[in-house]
Structures are given as structure tokens and as C-alpha cells.
Amino acid sequence: MDAQAPAMQQDTADLPKGVLALTVTSVTHYTDRLFHFATTRPPSFRFRSGEFVMIGLPGGDKPIYRAYSVASPSWGEELEFFSIKVPDGPLTSRLQHIKVGDTVWMREKATGTLVNDALIPGKRLYMFSTGTGIAPFASLIRDPDTYEKFDQIILTHTCREVAELKYGLDLVASIRADEMLNELFDTSKLVHFTSVTREDYPQKGRITDLIESGELFDKLGVPPLDPEVDRGMICGSMAMLKDTKALLEKAGLTEGANNNPAQFVIERAFVN
Ligand code: A2P
């Protein structure tokens, strides 16, 4: 298949071992840089909210796979993904053209550190995200475990442009309006803080600057970061991870992992 050609529906008979075929059920383009798609969920596929999988497309000699956080919760009937579009990207240059009914391939093993199990109990969970880094948190803010474990969940999302916030804003509004979710957990525990860096918006600035200046905590009406009660998850570009991690460490929080839960965890928003 030509590298620029749209993904086509494929017979699943040629599926490589350990790969599941997903059928695309919806595609939403937010900007010329960001889109969301949903797929069917194979009954055998299990994952923990916040984990990522390897996604590829059929066709070509050697399929290319890229890591994608699953944006839907572990109980969801469908799988959801939030993706950047890289014009010359080996995968996203094709993936951005997928249509309802097309086939996407997914390796069957999910993994990752942005999971509730990798954090020790606390009162307040911060989810710091930039760009498509909101994806694992889109999963976790729909998981009852997150609300059982924490009194308050603060999702921060910073993007270059206002239009890039829309996916998160719509998702949080839909959670608050969802009767079933309101029965499963207390949606008023969720706080959504948005900021923009390259356009006019009521809240401007990088999350790192807002943490450092204390503006984030003033605006939220909460005390500064405290390792006794605050927990963190970070997902964004390599530079954003490094800088945000340094600020959490400065506040006295230590990094955890699946086999060593602690006060914060990080994961790169992979496809760029
Ligand atoms: P900025 O516009 O100042 O670069 P990207 O799409 O490049 O991943 O950026 C998403 C958001 O993350 C942008 O608002 C960007 O701000 C911000 N950002 C980029 N680098 C960092 C960093 N090192 N620390 C915190 N935020 C960052």
C-alpha cells in the first residue's frame, strides 16, 4: 500500500500473531493536528485504565506500530484513542485518514505506569497533561477506582491553541452529565484546569510556570504541593515531563513504578 493511501478494511486472516484487529466506529477531527477515534473492543482484551498499547495499520511489508494510551476506561465497551497528526509521520500520516469501518491493528498486551496501582494512597491526585498527553487521564477520570482512592482529582491540560482543549472539555462535560457515571462515583471530585500558551485564553501559560509561580494553587484554591497528601501523574512531551518532574521532586514527591508505588509517576505522550 502506498504510504499516503488511506487505511482500508482488511481480511483478518493475515493477522500477525499477538495482534488483534479493531474496527473503527467513529473518527472526530479536532484540529489539523489532533483527532480522536474509537474502535470495537475484542472480548479477550484486558487492560488497566491509564495503560498504553501498540497501534498499527494493516498493509505494507512490515507494519509500523506506535504506542498509544487507551483513552477509554477499563470497563468501556469500545476502545478510544487520541492522536496527533504528523504530516510525514510513518504511522499517523496514514492513520489520520481512517474512516468508520476500517481496520486498525493492536498488539494484545497493554502496559504502562500511569495506573492507580503505581501510586501510594493520598488525598489529592494531580494529572498534569499537555497536548495528546490527556489520553491516559481520559481513561482514569472515568474509572471508579480513581475516585475511591482520592478525595479530589485535578486534571490539568495545557495546549498551544484553544481548539486543542476541546476534546478534554467535551469529555469532562459529558462525564458530569452522565447519569450512570454519577451513580458509579462522585463526579464533583473532578476539577479540570485548562491553560493555553500560544493564543488568548482566560488562563495562559505553561503548567510548569503556573506551578512554579504558585498561580495554579491560588486559582484552584488549594495549598501548594505537599508530599504527605498530594500525588501526581504526568503525561506530555519529553521536555514537559522532565520539567514537571523536577518541580514535583523539588516539592518533595518521589517517583514510583508498578513494582514500587510512590508519590508520582510519568509517561511520555508517545507519538510526535
Ligand atoms: P509552548 O507553546 O510554550 O511550547 P506540544 O504540542 O509542543 O507538545 O506542546 C503542548 C503544550 O506543552 C504547549 O502549551 C507547550 O507550550 C507546552 N510545553 C512545551 N514544552 C514544555 C515544557 N518543557 N514544560 C511545560 N510545558 C511545555
Side-chain angles (χ1 to χ4, degrees):
M1 189 188 280
D2 163 29
Q4 296 300 320
M8 304 300 286
Q9 191 154 14
Q10 296 272 320
D11 185 1
T12 53
D14 55 355
L15 260 186
K17 195 168 177 292
V19 172
L20 299 167
L22 315 177
T23 304
V24 177
T25 54
S26 80
V27 184
T28 310
H29 292 271
Y30 286 95
T31 68
D32 55 4
R33 289 202 327 133
L34 294 177
F35 73 110
H36 172 275
F37 62 98
T39 71
T40 52
R41 176 176 181 172
S44 64
F45 177 63
R46 292 275 174 276
F47 71 105
R48 291 181 296 173
S49 296
E51 287 188 319
F52 68 85
V53 290
M54 303 304 290
I55 291 283
L57 284 172
D61 290 342
K62 200 167 181 282
I64 297 154
Y65 291 89
R66 290 287 181 267
Y68 276 85
S69 293
V70 183
S72 46
S74 60
W75 53 262
E77 283 173 15
E78 292 201 320
L79 300 176
E80 296 172 33
F81 304 94
F82 190 44
S83 179
I84 198 146
K85 306 174 196 177
V86 185
D88 302 319
L91 179 65
T92 65
S93 61
R94 289 177 57 207
L95 193 65
Q96 63 181 281
H97 299 295
I98 52 168
K99 303 235 165 348
V100 171
D102 284 349
T103 298
V104 170
W105 281 359
M106 178 182 77
R107 292 213 182 115
E108 64 192 357
K109 178 141 178 45
T111 185
T113 52
L114 299 182
V115 290
N116 283 318
D117 293 347
L119 292 175
I120 55 175
K123 284 193 174 162
R124 198 176 288 121
L125 172 60
Y126 284 92
M127 299 170 166
F128 297 108
S129 69
T130 54
T132 56
I134 193 175
F137 305 139
S139 171
L140 284 159
I141 61 173
R142 286 181 274 176
D143 192 322
D145 282 355
T146 312
Y147 295 83
E148 256 165 50
K149 197 160 174 178
F150 299 97
D151 299 339
Q152 194 176 33
I153 295 118
I154 300 173
L155 167 65
T156 83
H157 191 206
T158 303
C159 293
R160 296 180 189 186
E161 297 169 12
V162 179
E164 294 173 340
L165 295 174
K166 185 165 165 53
Y167 167 66
L169 290 168
D170 287 353
L171 177 66
V172 170
S174 76
I175 291 172
R176 296 199 200 290
D178 190 306
E179 263 180 49
M180 185 196 83
L181 295 187
N182 277 284
E183 273 174 29
L184 283 177
F185 49 78
D186 181 0
T187 58
S188 69
K189 287 183 171 183
L190 176 62
V191 177
H192 189 200
F193 179 93
T194 53
S195 73
V196 168
T197 49
R198 301 193 191 183
E199 274 185 350
D200 275 345
Y201 191 68
Q203 181 63 60
K204 296 223 27 170
R206 287 186 172 192
I207 195 65
T208 40
D209 293 336
L210 299 171
I211 295 172
E212 212 162 9
S213 68
E215 196 178 334
L216 175 69
F217 312 109
D218 290 348
K219 290 270 167 71
L220 293 171
V222 298
L225 289 173
D226 175 354
E228 286 296 311
V229 292
D230 289 328
R231 303 291 169 258
M233 292 184 173
I234 320 173
C235 191
S237 63
M238 289 305 277
M240 178 273 192
L241 293 184
K242 181 172 158 281
D243 294 350
T244 313
K245 172 182 150 108
L247 291 171
L248 265 52
E249 285 177 339
K250 197 171 150 197
L253 281 77
T254 50
E255 186 176 351
N258 274 296
N259 57 3
N260 181 28
Q263 290 149 326
F264 77 92
V265 279
I266 67 176
E267 204 134 81
R268 185 174 159 218
F270 301 90
V271 180
N272 52 29

